[in-house]
Structure formats: structure tokens, C-alpha cells
């Protein structure tokens, strides 16, 4: 029974994060702008809700807009809840020391540049990989077609040219 109790308690203990570990995670999350991608959620929701309400009540457009904006502003502090949850995710994945190293790198000049230029580098990398892949497929097809002409000349002659 004691062993079973200990096993049940293990997952709960594994999910406990020390305050310093969580603080390190928050710093890393801030350093890599992890939550930046969620900045527009509240704004987009407010815009959508305004549009829905105004369609049904066009004469109240100004009041609806103000009311939804006030409600959105009241909800804005809940953004901290998301940031805390994301920090907990990082704290579960990385050690406190790793999080400090991540923060150190991403707050450096090279780290900031990587954040700023990384998406462009990824796009260019994908473009280069597509061009390379197309060339590989073309050349493999050509050499395989030549190989087939040698392996089975009669069958290759019957095949339409590609």
C-alpha cells in the first residue's frame, strides 16, 4: 500500500516547480518572445464580437464598440495567466540552469538577431531545400531512366519519354 501511495504521489511531485525554476522559465519565455504570437487573440476576439453585435444593432455601434473595448480591457490582465502556464511548460521541459542559459543567449546581440532574422532564414532555407529537392528528383529520375534503358532496353523503348 505504501509503495502504491508513493507511486501515485510521484507525478504530482514531478510537476512541482520551485519558485526560482519558474522565475527562470518566465525569463526565458520573455527572452524568446514565446507569448508574442498570442498578442492578437484578445484584439481579434473584440473585433469579431463588435462586428457580430453591430450587425444586429447598427444604431448602437458607438456604444457597442465602447462596451466591448471596456470588457476587453477588463480581461487583459488574464494574459499573465497564459504567460505563467507557458512558463510552467518550459519549466517542465528544461532545467533551471538550461533556462538561464536560454535567457542569456536570447538576450545577447546574437540571440536578438536570431529572433529577428530567424523567420527569414527559415523561409530562405525552405526555398533552398525545395530547389535542391527538385534537382535531386530530376537527376535521380534521369539517371534511373538511363539505368532502365540498360537493364531492360525493350521495356524502356516502350515507355513514353518523361
Amino acid at each position: 500500500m505504501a509503495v502504491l501511495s508513493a507511486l501515485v504521489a510521484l507525478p504530482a511531485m514531478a510537476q512541482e516547480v520551485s519558485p526560482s525554476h519558474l522565475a527562470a522559465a518566465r525569463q526565458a519565455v520573455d527572452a524568446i518572445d514565446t507569448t508574442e504570437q498570442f498578442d492578437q487573440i484578445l484584439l481579434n476576439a473584440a473585433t469579431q464580437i463588435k462586428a457580430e453585435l453591430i450587425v444586429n444593432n447598427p444604431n448602437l455601434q458607438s456604444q457597442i464598440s465602447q462596451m466591448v473595448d471596456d470588457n476587453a480591457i477588463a480581461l487583459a490582465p488574464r494574459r499573465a495567466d497564459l504567460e505563467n502556464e507557458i512558463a510552467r511548460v518550459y519549466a517542465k521541459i528544461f532545467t533551471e540552469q538550461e533556462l538561464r542559459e536560454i535567457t542569456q543567449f536570447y538576450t545577447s546581440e546574437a540571440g536578438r538577431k536570431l529572433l529577428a532574422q530567424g523567420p527569414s532564414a527559415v523561409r530562405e532555407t525552405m526555398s533552398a531545400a525545395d530547389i535542391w529537392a527538385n534537382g535531386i528528383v530530376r537527376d535521380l529520375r534521369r539517371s534511373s531512366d538511363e539505368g532502365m534503358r540498360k537493364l531492360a532496353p525493350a521495356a524502356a523503348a516502350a515507355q513514353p519519354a518523361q
Side-chain angles (χ1 to χ4, degrees):
M1 195 65 153
V3 172
L4 184 57
S5 297
L7 289 175
V8 170
L10 271 177
M13 289 170 50
Q15 297 202 9
E16 298 281 332
V17 176
S18 73
S20 64
H21 194 165
L22 189 57
R26 282 298 304 262
Q27 289 176 332
V29 165
D30 290 345
I32 58 178
D33 296 331
T34 304
T35 62
E36 183 179 291
Q37 62 186 317
F38 307 116
D39 285 348
Q40 298 300 314
I41 291 175
L42 185 56
L43 176 63
N44 291 343
T47 300
Q48 180 182 352
I49 291 168
K50 283 181 201 179
E52 291 169 3
L53 295 174
I54 290 170
V55 164
N56 295 327
N57 302 284
N59 57 324
L60 299 174
Q61 179 174 353
S62 179
Q63 295 92 326
I64 290 170
S65 184
Q66 185 63 50
M67 178 266 302
V68 172
D69 286 345
D70 290 344
N71 289 336
I73 290 169
L75 292 172
R78 288 177 52 185
R79 171 62 184 270
D81 297 338
L82 174 62
E83 291 171 1
N84 286 331
E85 286 306 310
I86 291 172
R88 286 187 188 289
V89 168
Y90 274 71
K92 289 176 188 174
I93 296 170
F94 299 101
T95 67
E96 188 171 340
Q97 180 59 36
E98 290 168 335
L99 290 164
R100 292 188 194 293
E101 292 169 8
I102 290 168
T103 301
Q104 184 177 8
F105 173 73
Y106 281 101
T107 55
S108 72
E109 188 174 325
R112 299 308 302 165
K113 185 172 184 177
L114 179 60
L115 287 173
Q117 299 299 321
S120 176
V122 169
R123 281 190 302 275
E124 290 184 35
T125 299
M126 295 308 293
S127 178
D130 285 343
I131 292 167
W132 177 83
N134 289 336
I136 289 293
V137 169
R138 177 199 64 225
D139 294 347
L140 180 58
R141 183 175 310 282
R142 185 179 303 137
S143 64
S144 295
D145 287 346
E146 289 172 11
M148 281 305 295
R149 280 193 290 278
K150 291 176 185 172
L151 286 175
Q159 290 276 328
Q162 293 189 21

